[in-house]
Amino acid sequence: MPEGDVVWNTARRLHEALAGRVLTRSDFRVPRYATANLTGHPVTEAVSQGKHLLIRVGNGLTVHTHLKMDGSWRIRPAAAGPPRKNAHQVRVVLANTEWQAVGYLLGVTEILPTAREYQVTGHLGPDLLGPGWDEAQAAEAVRRLTADAGRPIGEALLDQRNVAGFGTVYMAETLFLRGVDPSRPAGDIEDVTALVELGHRLLDANKERLGHVTTGDARPGRESWVYGRAGRPCRRCGTLVRRAEQGTPGQERLRFWCPSCQR
């Protein structure tokens, strides 16, 4: 599932292509909204909240999408015409006279009143890349993360109800940089605030680029400390990086860690 920085960047690209322009085409290829028509209305903005994408339209409606595991949005010139390649994967097309935004394999596609966006985002914890991120937001994230003191911190960080934006990449990399084993109980971590703030800085540093770089080295194969490096030597100590699944049945997610550097 895409990390919060990828979703933030997707929202920015959607905003640049659609905001302030009147829709000349809206094509929803999901049964529930097959007859929906937003043409003739301007897009006011496109924003992300955690891993949710919200495209707000001037008629008081919001197109809510979620990429889940396989979804993506692609921006194409309007003159290119309707998408033909992988057309069976298209879930929605929103276009104006200049650009068209095509959503492929979206895990969620729905239209709801803008005033009721809370129905799909109200459960989220503080957004690591939200415009209102500050000390108070960080403190609320810490409160939520530690409310269940016995829960493994790796699971707690991936629960979007605690803090929105972490995925398996930034969970693994943040915990490595703080020297914390992902199975350690959240209540046993001395400085959860530093953990949350580091996660915020990592996502913020990567939100305007393609790919995730947490080592400071963007060369291929050098971008991460432990994520995706199972069975290879830790870049710090040489111990082999481990990989396992973590989470409740049906909700397991991958974790990578160095058993020497992360206690």
Side-chain angles (χ1 to χ4, degrees), residues 153 157 166 170-182 184 189-202 225-226 236 258 260-263:
I153 188 61
L157 287 174
F166 274 111
Y170 288 110
M171 179 269 285
E173 297 295 284
T174 300
L175 291 177
F176 173 81
L177 289 168
R178 291 296 302 169
V180 176
D181 188 299
R184 187 190 300 182
I189 298 172
E190 295 180 359
D191 196 345
V192 181
T193 299
L195 188 68
V196 169
E197 288 290 3
L198 176 59
H200 164 70
R201 292 198 303 274
L202 290 176
W225 292 99
V226 291
R236 282 185 175 170
C258 170
S260 178
C261 293
Q262 295 171 256
R263 299 292 185 176

Side-chain angles (χ1 to χ4, degrees), residues 122-126 139-148 156 160-163:
H123 66 287
L124 297 174
E140 175 60 16
V142 170
R143 185 192 70 78
R144 295 188 183 207
L145 286 167
T146 56
D148 184 352
Q160 303 298 295
R161 296 171 298 180
N162 293 330
V163 57

Side-chain angles (χ1 to χ4, degrees), residues 11 16 29 36 69 72 99-100 102 113 115 149-150 161-162 164 169 201 215 237:
E16 291 173 348
R29 303 183 186 181
M69 292 297 294
S72 65
W99 301 102
Q100 59 178 314
V102 184
R161 296 171 298 180
N162 293 330
V169 175
R201 292 198 303 274
T215 60
C237 72

Side-chain angles (χ1 to χ4, degrees), residues 6-21 23 42-58 61-65 73 75 94 96 101 114 117 127 129-131:
V6 172
V7 180
W8 184 95
N9 196 289
T10 300
R12 183 184 69 165
R13 292 188 295 108
L14 288 169
H15 184 84
E16 291 173 348
L18 301 176
R21 297 181 174 95
L23 291 173
V43 171
T44 58
E45 62 181 337
V47 300
S48 64
Q49 290 190 19
K51 299 185 180 182
H52 296 256
L53 287 160
L54 304 168
I55 302 172
R56 295 167 180 154
V57 184
L61 295 177
T62 293
V63 178
H64 166 234
T65 63
W73 278 95
I75 309 299
L94 298 174
N96 51 54
T114 301
E117 288 179 359
D127 185 352
L129 292 179

Side-chain angles (χ1 to χ4, degrees), residues 64-141:
H64 166 234
T65 63
H66 196 296
L67 304 180
K68 295 292 185 179
M69 292 297 294
D70 301 312
S72 65
W73 278 95
R74 303 176 194 174
I75 309 299
R76 308 168 68 239
R84 290 188 172 86
K85 186 177 181 180
N86 298 322
H88 64 286
Q89 298 178 350
V90 174
R91 300 295 178 263
V92 59
V93 180
L94 298 174
N96 51 54
T97 57
E98 296 182 60
W99 301 102
Q100 59 178 314
V102 184
Y104 291 85
L105 295 175
L106 300 172
V108 173
T109 302
E110 62 180 346
I111 303 172
L112 70 159
T114 301
R116 295 182 183 176
E117 288 179 359
Y118 65 88
Q119 293 177 342
V120 294
T121 61
H123 66 287
L124 297 174
D127 185 352
L128 289 167
L129 292 179
W133 181 265
D134 57 13
E135 290 184 4
Q137 291 280 294
E140 175 60 16

